[in-house]
Amino acid sequence: MSDKKKFAVILSGCGVSDGAEIHEAVMTLYAIAKHGATYDIFAPNIKQHHVINHLDGSVMNETRNVLIESARIARGNIKPLNEFNPSLFDALIFPGGFGVAKNLSTWAFDGPNCTVNPQVEGAIRAMHKLHKPIGGLCISPVLFAKVLGNVTVTIGRDASTAQAIENLGAKHLQAGHAQVVVDEKNMLFTTPCYMLDANIVDISNGAKAIVSEILKWI
Amino acid sequence: MSDKKKFAVILSGCGVSDGAEIHEAVMTLYAIAKHGATYDIFAPNIKQHHVINHLDGSVMNETRNVLIESARIARGNIKPLNEFNPSLFDALIFPGGFGVAKNLSTWAFDGPNCTVNPQVEGAIRAMHKLHKPIGGLCISPVLFAKVLGNVTVTIGRDASTAQAIENLGAKHLQAGHAQVVVDEKNMLFTTPCYMLDANIVDISNGAKAIVSEILKWI
């Protein structure tokens, strides 16, 4: 059995506006492998909330599936989220993108009153109960605030999102690029990435920082 | 006016089996930015050859557009390839993926007898005429062999693809990960990436190597 640390990465589709943010997803996978750890990729087998034309921002008259589209980023090497077994992993991590707020939850539409996909909620609760690290890039930390409540996270500096998080009983700390907010009690690790003005180097730096920090705690 | 070196990156969709290979595309963008250069992203405004379910490999009963799907990787910051002006760029580069062989050309179906999208052919010929560097990852070098003929490239070690390239009057050199074959006379730079067994770190290393090599020649 390998003694490499193993991450579960949960994707929410393929594309910033209706799925997983691609740069954040790829840079998360890269950071994990670069640090000598391994990963399995998961996504819920559900319909996307909608399909956005990423050229002009319009809603397309199509339906797509979160697992099937996430498989594009995973090159087919992906499992449905209902097969996630928390005992097999050392850490769980969520790249960002609107898919987190539209497919994994309804945050984009309902804010603090959102619902969270039951499999996503189950994965977060299970890892939290085992006191294993859970990482969130970009908008993903709203999932942790919604599911766990009294936690400390960052989504960068956006005041209205920060307020919405605090309305859930969580604490929001401001952070810049490649800064990782660590909630030691809850083993939560969060960093802003594209929630701030960012270029692709910022995203790589953020992904490396959060993965590196998580590995210190495993 | 910035004195930063500027790359044009041509994408062929979004997903290894029917479009641009996502890891290669993202790592190419990252390598360009990391090396202090800049990029504009282009894709032809054409229908994809087909849509592949990346979970099970089946053909889906859908139609998608190469420019619109490529915009997912580009976060919307992309232009139709007919707006490409070679005088504005220092280098041109193609990430790989089956989109190169299915959308930018018909190589996947016709091998050396393939046709190449006229805008893609025009971009390659224009940069070649200006003696500006053209880079190709993965399967992209087949475009250079088809369009330019007597050139030297690598697609790694795949014997049948290498033979098909040589049938076009080009020379194929074997290469490993992060090795870049330089055709100095034609200013062509090629590296295998996912044409070899590879992980995401190999892809990042390959992208960094080819971008770094190109920058030496600008």
Side-chain angles (χ1 to χ4, degrees), chain A residues 14 16 18 21-23 27 30 33 52-55 64 68-69 72-73 75-76 78 194 204 208, chain B residues 14 16 18 21-23 27 30 52-55 64 68-69 72-73 75-76 78 194 201 204 208:
Chain A
C14 179
V16 57
D18 59 16
E21 206 296 309
I22 293 173
H23 303 181
M27 288 305 177
Y30 173 62
I52 297 289
N53 176 326
H54 280 58
L55 190 62
R64 297 188 187 181
I68 291 171
E69 297 310 313
R72 294 178 173 273
I73 296 173
R75 296 170 49 84
I78 191 168
Y194 276 123
S204 182
K208 285 176 188 165
Chain B
C14 179
V16 56
D18 58 17
E21 206 296 309
I22 293 173
H23 303 182
M27 289 305 176
Y30 173 63
I52 297 289
N53 176 325
H54 280 57
L55 189 63
R64 298 188 187 182
I68 292 172
E69 297 310 313
R72 294 177 174 273
I73 296 173
R75 296 169 51 85
I78 190 168
Y194 276 123
V201 175
S204 182
K208 285 176 188 165

Side-chain angles (χ1 to χ4, degrees), chain B residues 43-96:
Chain B
N45 185 8
I46 57 175
K47 263 178 46 179
Q48 291 187 191
H49 174 78
H50 57 193
V51 179
I52 297 289
N53 176 325
H54 280 57
L55 189 63
D56 65 14
S58 63
V59 176
M60 299 177 83
N61 185 24
E62 294 189 20
T63 59
R64 298 188 187 182
N65 174 287
V66 174
L67 176 60
I68 292 172
E69 297 310 313
S70 297
R72 294 177 174 273
I73 296 173
R75 296 169 51 85
N77 194 3
I78 190 168
K79 295 172 184 161
L81 185 53
N82 63 2
E83 294 182 13
F84 170 69
N85 179 344
S87 69
L88 300 180
F89 294 90
D90 299 297
L92 176 65
I93 192 165
F94 293 85

